Amino acid sequence: MYVLGIESSCDETAAAVVADGHRVLSNVIASQIAVHRPFGGVVPELASRHHLVNVIPVIRQALTEATQVDELCTGLAALDAVAVTVGPGLVGALMVGLQAAKGICVATGLPIVGVNHLDAHLEAVQAGRGETNPGPTFPHVALLVSGGHTLLLLVRKRGHYELLGSTRDDAAGEAFDKVAKMLGLAYPGGPAISRAARKGDPAAVHFPRALRRRGELDMSFSGLKTAVRLYLEKNGRPRTDAEMADICASVEEAVVDVLVSKLTQAVRSTGVSQLVIAGGVAANKRLRGRVGAFARAEGLRVSMPDAVLCTDNAVMTAVAGTRRFLEEGADSLDLDARARWLPAGRDRGSYR
Ligand code: KG4
Ligand code: ZN
C-alpha cells in the first residue's frame, strides 16, 4: 500500500511516499528557514507564498525518488491514497498543501485522508519499524514537544490519546526560539541554542524550573524567558563564545530538566514501561540523551523517531494517514484546514 504524504503546516513544504505505513520510500523537504530568518520567526504570508512555489516540485521529487527505491511504485498511478496535514497550523500555509492534495485526488480519483499534525508527530516513531525495530508497545507515555505544543499523553492504542499534562503558557520549542532571539542567535532558536550549548557548562547559570510540585504534570516555560531577560538586563549580552555557550547550556538544561522530570512523574503515575518522545524539540541531543539514560536506569523501553523525522516532514503525515485510512476510510473533498485542533481548555480527557 503506497501513500503520498503532504505537509505544509508551518515553514517546511514536504512530501513523502511511505509503503505499508512504515517503509519510507522518499522524504523531500523544502525548508524556508532562509526566507524567515531575517524576520526572526515565521511570517505567515511569506510561508504560504513559498509553499505555493514549492509544493508541486516537492511532490514530483517525492514520487520520482520513491520509484527509484521501489520500482513497483510508479508515480501517482501506483498510489492508494493521499494523506495531507489539515491542522493545527497556519491556515494559509495548510491550505496550499490541502489544495494540492485535493487537485491530485480530483484528477486521479485517489482517496484523500486529512491528518492531524500532532497525531503525525506522535506516529513518526512508526516509520522504519520492522523486524529489528518493532515500534513502541501500548500503553505508553508520549512527550510531544514542538514549536507550538508541549503535551504529555497516555497512549492506550495507536491514535488514541489521554492528556496527562501540558504547558500552561509557552511551548518548549517556543521558549527556545524566544530565548535565542534575545541572545541574538539565528532562527530557528532550538537548534541554534543546542549548537551554541555544546561546549558550555549547564550549571553555569541557574534558570528557574517552574511547577516542580510532585504530582503536577503541567509545565510552564514563560518564566524561563523572563529569567533570561532579567539576566541579560543585569549582565549584558554575552561577550565571548564561552559565555554564550554557558548561557545556552544552562537554558537547555532548564528546559530538559523540566521535560525529563515531568516524563518521569508521568511514567510513575501511569506505571507504563514504554516511552515515546516526538516533535521538533525531540531532535535535541541533550533531551534524547537524558531520556535514554532515564529509560536505561529504570529498565524502560524508549522509542524516538530519527532526528530528521522529529522536525516537520511528510513521512509522518503519510504514516498517520495510512493508519487513519485503514481504520476510518477516506475523507470527503470538502475537507477544511484547522488552525487549532486540541482538547479545549483545561479539562482532562481523551481526544482523538
Ligand atoms: O515539530 P516542529 O518542527 O514544528 C512544529 O510543529 O512546531 O518543531 C519546531 C520547534 C522549534 O521551536 C525549534 O526551535 C525546535 O522545534 N527544535 C529544537 C531542535 N530542533 C528543532 N529545539 C531544541 N533542539 C533542537 N535540536
Ligand atoms: Zn510540527
Side-chain angles (χ1 to χ4, degrees):
M1 181 173 184
Y2 299 117
V3 172
L4 169 68
I6 302 173
E7 148 68 32
S8 68
S9 66
C10 190
D11 60 343
E12 325 273 5
T13 321
V17 180
V18 172
D20 305 322
H22 60 89
R23 200 157 54 85
V24 181
L25 303 188
S26 61
N27 177 20
V28 180
I29 303 172
S31 167
Q32 300 180 9
I33 286 178
V35 173
H36 302 287
R37 182 162 281 166
F39 305 95
V42 179
V43 182
E45 182 176 338
L46 286 182
S48 305
R49 288 176 185 277
H50 281 79
H51 286 311
L52 208 49
V53 171
N54 291 330
V55 70
I56 299 296
V58 162
I59 291 171
R60 278 227 167 92
Q61 194 183 334
L63 292 169
T64 305
E65 288 183 12
T67 310
Q68 288 159 2
V69 175
D70 180 340
E71 60 189 21
L72 295 179
C73 187
T74 50
L76 287 176
L79 297 178
D80 295 281
V82 178
V84 58
T85 313
V86 297
L90 301 169
V91 169
L94 289 162
M95 284 206 280
V96 178
L98 186 50
Q99 201 55 21
K102 286 185 182 186
I104 291 171
C105 292
V106 169
T108 57
L110 283 169
I112 193 166
V113 187
V115 172
N116 176 311
H117 183 68
L118 303 179
D119 209 344
H121 271 302
L122 290 159
E123 297 245 88
V125 78
Q126 301 284 343
R129 128 178 98 76
E131 265 171 31
T132 51
N133 167 24
T137 53
F138 298 90
H140 62 245
V141 164
L143 173 68
L144 170 52
V145 266
S146 70
H149 299 90
T150 302
L151 304 170
L152 258 177
L153 302 158
L154 176 62
V155 189
R156 293 192 191 276
K157 65 177 214 171
R158 263 183 87 174
H160 292 253
Y161 315 107
E162 207 169 293
L163 186 62
L164 300 171
S166 62
T167 180
R168 292 187 181 173
D169 37 58
D170 294 349
E174 191 180 352
F176 276 131
D177 294 338
K178 288 178 175 166
V179 167
K181 209 168 175 177
M182 285 187 235
L183 290 169
L185 296 172
Y187 167 83
I193 288 190
S194 176
R195 257 191 317 275
R198 254 178 237 155
K199 289 188 180 149
D201 172 9
V205 187
H206 184 82
F207 291 119
R209 279 81 164 144
L211 303 179
R212 294 189 70 171
R213 288 186 298 280
R214 203 185 287 181
E216 171 63 79
L217 291 177
D218 274 353
M219 291 157 268
S220 163
F221 295 101
S222 67
L224 173 63
K225 202 173 54 191
T226 311
V228 174
R229 183 170 54 75
L230 293 175
Y231 176 88
L232 294 176
E233 277 170 18
K234 189 165 165 231
N235 301 284
R237 283 256 192 109
R239 279 166 292 273
T240 61
D241 287 351
E243 209 186 321
M244 177 68 96
D246 280 350
I247 296 173
C248 288
S250 303
V251 167
E252 190 177 46
E253 187 73 354
V255 174
V256 170
D257 258 357
V258 170
L259 296 175
V260 172
S261 115
K262 297 300 173 182
L263 189 57
T264 307
Q265 289 184 45
V267 166
R268 302 245 156 88
S269 71
T270 54
V272 300
S273 55
Q274 165 83 54
L275 302 176
V276 169
I277 61 169
V281 179
N284 182 277
K285 283 204 183 114
R286 193 157 184 90
L287 177 63
R288 295 171 83 89
R290 289 273 305 271
V291 171
F294 164 66
R296 273 192 303 282
E298 302 274 326
L300 306 168
R301 281 162 40 94
V302 61
S303 306
M304 326 183 189
D306 288 347
V308 286
L309 297 181
C310 286
T311 45
D312 287 348
N313 66 86
V315 165
M316 64 189 196
T317 316
V319 168
T322 305
R323 178 190 53 75
R324 261 214 73 205
F325 183 54
L326 293 174
E327 285 177 6
E328 296 165 43
D331 285 303
S332 70
L333 280 166
D334 61 2
L335 203 54
D336 197 3
R338 301 171 71 160
R340 292 176 204 285
W341 194 353
L342 253 189
R346 311 276 327 120
D347 56 313
R348 297 286 180 267
S350 299
Y351 76 97
R352 345 188 355 154

